[in-house]
Amino acid sequence: MAADVQVLAGFHAVAARLRHAPDSVKEVYYDAQRRDKRMAALLEQVKRAGSAAHGVPAERLDGLAKGLRHQGIVALADTRVLAVDIDEVLDEIEGPPLLLVLDGVTDPHNLGACLRTADAAGVHAVIAPRDRAVGLNATVQRVACGAADTVPYIMVTNLARTLRGLKERGIWVVGTDDQATDAIHAVDARLPTAWVMGAEGEGMRRLTRETCDHLVNIPMLGAVESLNVSVASAVCLYESVRQRQQA
């Protein structure tokens, strides 16, 4: 399979790509034995998009999905990045920006979960360093349940420089750190905000930490010392949602 072809497995991933970038979907393969309404509705969506649909045995889908849970539907699509320039994204935002910055998240399951949460919380873009992060592979697409096609995932060459650029545009850069004195509730998240999350186990890199305007912790009242990065992202992003809805 060509490097520029992306495998989308499952109803959420395929339907989201058909909604947001139907021209990128080249072929769809579905379980020829399925006759239910959900499959019929998705195949109608495929037809409207003008993509080719092929009914095949389940074993063929297993081979195409390469271990991903496909639910009887797999699509082959052009690799698609929703945005590559953070300034373009920021220029189109109405109201205070809300960004998620992931400093070195390499687990595709964590990235997929972060993208799904980012979509739910109304995040305008997710930013990651190009040299210390996972790309939008098939596992990320599956776990994100379509969010990889709705939230721009922007990989940058120099994360600290990008953060300084955000600050120049009036965005408050808030990093999460277990050793920080203030809790996340001390942040005025109604302001333009970029939440910065560190890598699994290692946290933020030194330069990233030093570039932040404010360091805060997530209160931990039990025995465990830290949260998974996708869970921590959800806690912080929904603090922004809470404050902005009360404004």
Side-chain angles (χ1 to χ4, degrees):
M1 189 176 297
D4 59 349
V5 174
Q6 190 171 25
V7 177
L8 306 174
F11 282 93
H12 287 296
V14 175
R17 178 61 69 89
L18 287 168
R19 279 197 307 272
H20 299 288
D23 60 305
S24 73
V25 179
K26 302 309 178 187
E27 293 183 290
V28 174
Y29 296 85
Y30 64 95
D31 187 342
Q33 300 300 314
R34 286 194 61 161
R35 300 285 190 272
D36 55 276
K37 292 182 178 179
R38 189 180 191 190
M39 181 65 77
L42 186 54
L43 291 178
E44 180 60 31
Q45 192 177 357
V46 173
K47 181 179 179 181
R48 290 196 302 270
S51 302
H54 310 282
V56 298
E59 293 78 11
R60 178 79 186 281
L61 294 172
D62 293 339
L64 288 168
K66 297 180 179 179
L68 298 176
R69 183 169 177 263
H70 55 71
Q71 301 173 296
I73 191 85
V74 173
L76 302 182
D78 293 336
T79 300
R80 182 62 58 97
V81 179
L82 294 184
V84 295
D85 189 323
I86 185 60
D87 288 316
E88 291 179 9
V89 174
L90 294 175
D91 288 342
E92 295 178 358
I93 295 174
E94 296 182 3
L98 178 59
L99 306 173
L100 176 63
V101 180
L102 303 174
D103 185 16
V105 173
T106 58
D107 186 318
H109 294 87
N110 278 339
L111 175 58
C114 286
L115 288 170
R116 188 172 182 178
T117 298
D119 175 85
V123 167
H124 297 103
V126 177
I127 301 171
R130 194 176 301 277
D131 62 340
R132 285 173 53 90
V134 63
L136 294 180
N137 61 30
T139 300
V140 173
Q141 291 276 350
R142 176 180 59 82
V143 176
C145 292
D149 284 313
T150 59
V151 180
Y153 181 55
I154 303 172
M155 303 185 78
V156 299
T157 303
N158 188 311
L159 184 59
R161 183 169 61 210
T162 298
L163 293 178
R164 288 193 291 270
L166 295 179
K167 294 164 71 168
E168 290 173 359
R169 295 194 59 145
I171 296 174
W172 193 245
V173 177
V174 182
T176 53
D177 188 322
D178 294 341
Q179 305 304 314
T181 303
D182 293 333
I184 59 171
H185 311 298
V187 175
D188 186 350
R190 298 167 298 178
L191 299 172
T193 305
W195 289 100
V196 185
M197 305 288 156
E200 303 97 340
E202 301 175 8
M204 291 182 292
R205 288 176 290 180
R206 179 186 59 80
L207 190 55
T208 302
R209 182 183 291 102
E210 292 175 354
T211 308
C212 292
D213 293 304
H214 194 179
L215 295 176
V216 295
N217 69 69
I218 297 175
M220 303 293 295
L221 306 182
V224 297
E225 296 181 356
S226 63
L227 297 173
N228 173 281
V229 65
S230 62
V231 177
S233 297
V235 171
C236 294
L237 293 175
Y238 271 90
E239 176 63 14
S240 290
V241 172
R242 182 188 70 82
Q243 291 189 26
R244 293 180 184 200
Q245 287 184 339
Q246 291 179 348

